[in-house]
Amino acid sequence: MTWHCHCVQLCPQPDSDRSQTTVLSLVLLSLQFLPLLARSDGAEMSHVDRGKRSSSGDSRSQPSLSESAVPALESDDGGLVLTSDDTPSVSSSARSGDSNAGRRRPLYAYALLVLALLAVSSGGALMKKIRVSPVLKASHRMQATSAVLLPLFAGQGFMSLRASSELRAQYSKPWTWFKMATSAVALGVHFATWVYSLDHTSLAHSLLFVSATPLVLVVTSWVLFAFRRRATHVSLGETLGTVVGFVGLGLTLLDARDSSGGERVTVAGNAAAFAGAIAMGVYLNEGQAIRPWCPLYLYALPVTALAAACLYLASLGLEPQNKAPQSLVAWLSPPAVGWYAAVALGPGLLGHTVLNWVVRFLPPLLL
């Protein structure tokens, strides 16, 4: 089947062979890391406690899912606890602002963080290869990433949900899906505003402002502390670094109306990218509330797919030129599908999906 849609056009690339090689390399690299993420995440979710039981030699003392495989339900883990009526509440360490308190931070989590940052940093250059309205382009990216995550979701879901009735019960709760929906909306806003910024400012400015999430998290922490809603664990060095960061962002605004490498720098484009940074902070915080107990792909696919749906609906309202039914699947038409595959496998799978894995161990401020 061939879709004829004129809303997707690609910039002419004289080095198309090199581009195809890059896409193939991303595919091969992604496939190598899939078993690592699934194995390590699944092992810690459902198998570590089995080893503890066998070593203890006492079947009566076997911990339940809520005691080991679901660390977020423990009060000393900084995540969520279940009250007597099974209503999720926030533990004391989580209220103090350190949701990773008491949780081990393996060294390989830092290595995967570096990998994720390298993968995410390539997203801007790849997305600029595709000329399509920003909100629809963001929806297409989320659709492509969802297609990559679907078989992983099916495999992990079959194994995890079949093995644990408590995980099934927790996963099906309205509170869980409310948090996932909030995370999906934040992810959608992040990509919509960031992709918009790619068309209205330089690539360097867009990436700089959209990466300002740590500054937003520090300010949010201090605001909550000022209103006595939460204690803050932000250090003096982090606070000073935030001030320096905002000064640097302010100085870059002096480039407005200038051209950088043929790209025009605008305040509106920079502001849109910064809005994406704020949305990313919400996305990471919401993910941290679920990821300590929820398997990786059982979280990543619903959030990504919901974000894709929200972005497409927003595109219908904000971008009238995309109301043709075929615009929904225009990303499947060649040669656009090649670029979207590279974005989904590189920045999508190795980037954001790995960040969803790492957020189990590292605080959003570090990410």
Side-chain angles (χ1 to χ4, degrees):
M1 181 180 295
T2 302
W3 288 273
H4 299 283
C5 182
H6 301 288
C7 64
V8 176
Q9 299 177 355
L10 294 182
C11 301
Q13 298 298 320
D15 52 346
S16 57
D17 293 339
R18 183 180 304 175
S19 300
Q20 294 297 328
T21 302
T22 302
V23 172
L24 180 59
S25 299
L26 284 171
V27 172
L28 296 177
L29 183 60
S30 301
L31 293 177
Q32 294 179 33
F33 278 91
L34 297 185
L36 170 64
L37 291 178
R39 189 186 309 117
S40 59
D41 194 70
E44 293 177 13
M45 292 294 182
S46 59
H47 298 303
V48 169
D49 58 321
R50 297 179 186 176
K52 293 180 180 178
R53 295 178 209 169
S54 60
S55 62
S56 64
D58 185 1
S59 59
R60 291 174 296 178
S61 63
Q62 293 178 356
S64 65
L65 176 68
S66 60
E67 294 172 340
S68 60
V70 187
L73 304 185
E74 295 181 338
S75 60
D76 61 347
D77 187 57
L80 301 169
V81 295
L82 291 181
T83 59
S84 58
D85 59 351
D86 286 345
T87 302
S89 61
V90 182
S91 66
S92 59
S93 57
R95 286 193 297 268
S96 68
D98 185 8
S99 58
N100 284 278
R103 190 177 305 161
R104 295 182 59 188
R105 298 182 181 180
L107 292 179
Y108 58 82
Y110 293 95
L112 288 175
L113 174 59
V114 173
L115 169 67
L117 293 178
L118 291 175
V120 168
S121 64
S122 66
L126 291 172
M127 293 292 281
K128 286 184 74 70
K129 300 291 185 181
I130 307 170
R131 288 179 178 173
V132 62
S133 51
V135 181
L136 182 62
K137 186 193 297 188
S139 175
H140 286 167
R141 169 171 174 169
M142 293 293 95
Q143 292 177 48
T145 305
S146 298
V148 172
L149 293 173
L150 182 59
L152 303 172
F153 169 85
Q156 191 175 59
F158 178 78
M159 297 293 293
S160 301
L161 296 178
R162 186 183 65 169
S164 171
S165 59
E166 293 186 58
L167 179 60
R168 289 197 301 270
Q170 183 68 13
Y171 190 70
S172 61
K173 287 184 177 180
W175 174 89
T176 298
W177 285 94
F178 171 78
K179 300 294 283 185
M180 285 191 180
T182 304
S183 183
V185 171
L187 183 63
V189 172
H190 165 76
F191 276 109
T193 53
W194 173 59
V195 174
Y196 173 88
S197 74
L198 289 174
D199 296 334
H200 293 83
T201 192
S202 69
L203 178 60
H205 279 72
S206 175
L207 295 178
L208 175 65
F209 278 85
V210 81
S211 301
T213 299
L215 308 184
V216 175
L217 294 177
V218 170
V219 172
T220 302
S221 180
W222 279 112
V223 169
L224 292 176
F225 174 75
F227 285 94
R228 301 184 183 278
R229 297 291 301 275
R230 181 187 300 173
T232 180
H233 288 265
V234 178
S235 67
L236 177 61
E238 291 168 338
T239 302
L240 293 177
T242 300
V243 173
V244 173
F246 274 112
V247 170
L249 291 179
L251 291 175
T252 61
L253 294 177
L254 299 176
D255 294 336
R257 299 183 181 179
D258 291 341
S259 295
S260 175
E263 299 176 314
R264 187 173 179 82
V265 178
T266 67
V267 175
N270 292 345
F274 188 71
I278 297 175
M280 176 54 65
V282 177
Y283 168 71
L284 290 175
N285 275 310
E286 293 301 313
Q288 195 176 43
I290 299 178
R291 276 293 294 128
W293 63 264
C294 183
L296 175 62
Y297 302 117
L298 292 185
Y299 169 78
L301 176 65
V303 169
T304 306
L306 284 172
C310 292
L311 286 167
Y312 182 69
L313 294 177
S315 174
L316 293 179
L318 299 175
E319 301 166 343
Q321 69 272 25
N322 299 323
K323 289 188 176 180
Q326 60 265 34
S327 66
L328 175 64
V329 291
W331 66 275
L332 291 172
S333 59
V337 65
W339 291 112
Y340 280 115
V343 171
L345 292 168
L349 185 61
L350 293 181
H352 284 272
T353 303
V354 173
L355 284 178
N356 283 327
W357 187 90
V358 172
V359 79
R360 289 187 60 214
F361 304 101
L362 305 179
L365 181 58
L366 178 60
L367 304 185

